[in-house]
Amino acid sequence: MTEHVDTADKGANKEMVELLQGAWRARAIHVASELGIPDLLTRGEHTVAELAELTGAHAETLGRLLRALSTFGVFQRQADGHTYSQSPLSAVLATEPGNAESTDARFMAANWHWAAWGDLLHSVRTGESSFEVANSGVPFWELTKNDPDAKQRFNAAMNAVSQEESAGVARAYDFSGVRTVVDVAGGLGSLLAAVLTTHTEVCGTILERPEIVPLAEARLAKADLAGRYEVVPGDFFERVPAGADLYTIKRALHDWDDDTIVRILEQIKEAMRPDSVLLVIEGVVDEESDQEALFRGLLLTVLVGGQDRPESDYQTLVDRAGLRVVRTIPVSDDLRILEARRD
Ligand SMILES: C[S@@+](CC[C@H](N)C(=O)[O-])C[C@H]1O[C@@H](n2cnc3c(N)ncnc32)[C@H](O)[C@@H]1O
């Protein structure tokens, strides 16, 4: 039998090899970031031997890693063959406060994150998170509560993304008449800080897991908001601070399954006055969603068993909790504010 491979098939084979090796490339980038090489090269070029010395790495293997990375533009290999400088792509990974790409790289570089993706098959077979299976039975929320390094990596990554989009939320919604806000599961406080900075008549409260409270307090202390906020430790399954004009919950519902989301929304409803307003702020997936949004959605499943949903699903869940969506406000391509009121 003669084997026939036409040009188109060869092209597809090559493309598939590149896709399959994408995992290796990503891992190589993680490792270079983890060793702090983008930061070292920000201060000037270095030889492989110097970088190995500075990072405690095995020089020959580090050289091969950097050479491989430089083939697709991460780091610039100099003509002498053993000196490297920063490239536009590697500069993106340098650590600067609030740099979403570098904090994301550190989040993805953690072995527990990588291990969870390694067990994606479990998620696809069961619809559940693969995190626990891949990490000796420890769920994501336990690890990010008890392990200081995991806690730091996760919250820094969340905060960097949140910082970028929170200013957009503060601008997109009309806060006239609002005096008190409770941001449920407010993370390190970037949304509350953006709202309080933009709307100086507003005071706010963050409800967060107790272990996150000191991080949020430290972050908010850097903003010029003294006396206008408090960070309350608690659990949104048990109690949400009562009586505010406005409640917000941003990118926190997507971590849970439908029934659990309804339970969280019911707790918020319990805390609301008859005239309080709730803003559900979530990324939505629809027919227009791009590759990045779709893979971010898979990440939610892998880590915590959550998912991004179409806007209509959030409306249904809000409805099931006895609230009513009165309008939707777009913030960016994927981010939506669903304004909900009590019936
Ligand atoms: C994906 S992060 C979003 C944080 C923030 N709203 C933002 O937009 O960056 C989800 C947040 O939910 C918080 N969280 C998880 N379980 C919680 C609970 N039972 N009670 C209160 N907060 C919780 C986490 O600590 C985390 O900060």
Side-chain angles (χ1 to χ4, degrees):
M1 200 171 84
T2 41
E3 196 176 307
H4 175 73
V5 181
D6 67 23
T7 326
D9 286 340
K10 278 189 192 151
N13 289 354
K14 187 170 181 298
E15 195 178 334
M16 180 48 69
V17 169
E18 277 176 15
L19 287 171
L20 289 169
Q21 292 185 353
W24 303 350
R25 282 194 279 274
R27 198 59 180 153
I29 295 171
H30 295 161
V31 167
S33 300
E34 202 58 11
L35 290 171
I37 290 175
D39 282 351
L40 289 169
L41 295 183
T42 297
R43 298 190 274 279
E45 62 180 31
H46 280 292
T47 63
V48 172
E50 287 165 350
L51 289 170
E53 175 80 27
L54 288 164
T55 61
H58 181 259
E60 193 208 317
T61 312
L62 178 64
R64 286 192 280 128
L65 179 92
L66 294 177
R67 185 167 177 189
L69 283 169
S70 69
T71 61
F72 54 95
V74 179
F75 308 117
Q76 175 77 45
R77 185 169 178 241
Q78 301 301 309
D80 68 8
H82 55 84
T83 301
Y84 285 85
S85 59
Q86 198 81 292
S87 68
L89 260 186
S90 60
V92 171
L93 297 170
T95 316
E96 282 162 28
N99 175 357
E101 288 71 26
S102 75
T103 51
D104 234 17
R106 267 180 60 72
F107 182 41
M108 293 181 200
N111 282 339
W112 39 264
H113 189 135
W114 185 252
W117 274 105
D119 262 321
L120 173 64
L121 181 60
H122 174 81
S123 283
V124 176
R125 283 206 164 119
T126 61
E128 294 166 1
S129 156
S130 56
F131 191 90
E132 213 171 318
V133 172
N135 287 289
S136 318
V138 181
F140 180 81
W141 294 118
E142 281 302 308
L143 189 81
T144 54
K145 173 177 162 187
N146 298 325
D147 180 308
D149 180 65
K151 182 161 89 172
Q152 196 282 332
R153 283 176 198 252
F154 168 57
N155 288 296
M158 289 305 96
N159 191 51
V161 173
S162 190
Q163 234 170 316
E164 289 189 344
E165 64 191 16
S166 290
V169 173
R171 275 195 306 270
Y173 187 74
D174 179 5
F175 284 82
S176 345
V178 173
R179 292 290 173 271
T180 50
V181 175
V182 172
D183 188 21
V184 179
L188 301 198
S190 55
L191 177 60
L192 190 68
V195 170
L196 267 52
T197 305
T198 320
H199 307 280
T200 51
E201 65 293 351
V202 181
C203 291
T205 301
I206 287 177
L207 174 74
E208 253 301 342
R209 298 189 292 163
E211 55 280 7
I212 306 303
V213 169
L215 300 180
E217 280 173 340
R219 155 81 179 71
L220 284 165
K222 291 184 193 145
D224 186 18
L225 302 168
R228 293 175 53 213
Y229 67 87
E230 59 176 336
V231 187
V232 175
D235 181 346
F236 53 39
F237 294 117
E238 288 176 6
R239 205 185 76 80
V240 172
D245 297 334
L246 186 80
Y247 288 79
T248 50
I249 182 160
K250 178 164 86 63
R251 292 203 193 265
L253 294 180
H254 67 182
D255 293 334
W256 307 92
D257 63 39
D258 287 4
D259 290 346
T260 310
I261 290 177
V262 172
R263 275 174 57 208
I264 298 167
L265 290 171
E266 283 171 346
Q267 280 302 332
I268 299 176
K269 185 188 169 201
E270 249 333 274
M272 289 166 74
R273 300 188 317 250
D275 61 340
S276 300
V277 173
L278 166 64
L279 305 184
V280 171
I281 306 162
E282 280 293 346
V284 295
V285 281
D286 55 28
E287 288 308 313
E288 307 301 314
S289 292
D290 61 12
Q291 192 180 91
E292 212 241 326
L294 296 169
F295 274 90
R296 290 261 166 210
L298 277 177
L299 171 67
L300 286 172
T301 309
V302 161
L303 294 185
V304 292
Q307 58 172 302
D308 279 326
R309 295 166 168 79
E311 195 180 306
S312 56
D313 282 17
Y314 282 112
Q315 293 194 355
T316 306
L317 294 167
V318 166
D319 211 51
R320 278 182 56 194
L323 294 158
R324 186 170 47 92
V325 174
V326 292
R327 64 186 172 128
T328 302
I329 303 157
V331 179
S332 62
D333 285 350
D334 81 313
L335 197 67
R336 301 281 178 279
I337 300 174
L338 279 74
E339 185 185 280
R341 292 173 184 267
R342 293 183 65 140
D343 276 328

